[in-house]
Amino acid sequence: MVALSHDSFKRSKRGIGKAGFDLSAEHDFVAKRLAAITNAKPLACPPATTTNKAKRKRLTRHSVFRLARVFISKMDSIRCVVVNLSADGARITMEDAYALPDIVTLRFDQSGVRRKARVAWRQDRDIGLCFIKDEV
């Protein structure tokens, strides 16, 4: 394609180039090409989906500060603080970066409520828990 300066644009409006030849064929080609580009449809569109984070967080989480214990076994427990809490999970902070098994029991100190949970994610001392529904 030819880069048009202000002078060459004036000449192209008249239809005559620097060398004296007709530019109308070049203008027709450019016009057809631009029309083809504007009318073109994309080959493949990615499906419109929500983000993974929005899918994972279905229920609203409430900021809390509750003392709790994470039971690794029936007798072994580690103190923690529940930072966020929802009906289907919690975010806890531990004193140190402990290695936890995949399934733990979370017991709130104040109420004594116990919830069985699966470790969803780990990041240093912060751990995300997903509560497991009790099967009856």
Side-chain angles (χ1 to χ4, degrees):
M1 226 189 266
V2 176
L4 297 175
S5 67
H6 185 65
D7 292 335
S8 63
F9 181 71
K10 284 182 182 177
R11 281 194 297 269
S12 68
K13 287 191 102 172
R14 289 183 294 200
I16 301 170
K18 284 184 179 177
F21 61 89
D22 188 19
L23 293 176
S24 62
E26 187 174 342
H27 285 288
D28 290 341
F29 172 76
V30 171
K32 287 179 186 177
R33 185 70 184 130
L34 287 174
I37 290 171
T38 56
N39 295 331
K41 294 182 178 161
L43 295 176
C45 293
T49 59
T50 58
T51 62
N52 288 338
K53 194 172 190 178
K55 285 182 184 178
R56 285 183 280 158
K57 288 190 176 183
R58 291 183 295 269
L59 301 174
T60 57
R61 291 195 172 190
H62 302 284
S63 294
V64 295
F65 186 83
R66 295 186 185 169
L67 297 175
R69 288 191 171 273
V70 176
F71 282 85
I72 299 168
S73 66
K74 289 192 178 206
M75 300 300 290
D76 296 329
S77 67
I78 302 169
R79 293 174 50 192
C80 67
V81 175
V82 179
V83 179
N84 287 337
L85 184 64
S86 70
D88 63 346
R91 176 182 167 204
I92 62 172
T93 301
M94 312 278 289
E95 292 176 352
D96 205 358
Y98 293 105
L100 295 179
D102 290 337
I103 304 293
V104 296
T105 302
L106 180 68
R107 187 186 61 123
F108 296 96
D109 285 348
Q110 187 177 9
S111 63
V113 174
R114 290 177 177 254
R115 297 290 308 262
K116 197 172 194 179
R118 175 182 57 84
V119 176
W121 56 268
R122 298 166 197 204
Q123 188 175 35
D124 295 330
R125 298 181 320 150
D126 295 335
I127 296 172
L129 299 177
C130 182
F131 295 138
I132 300 171
K133 295 182 180 180
D134 294 330
E135 297 179 12
V136 180

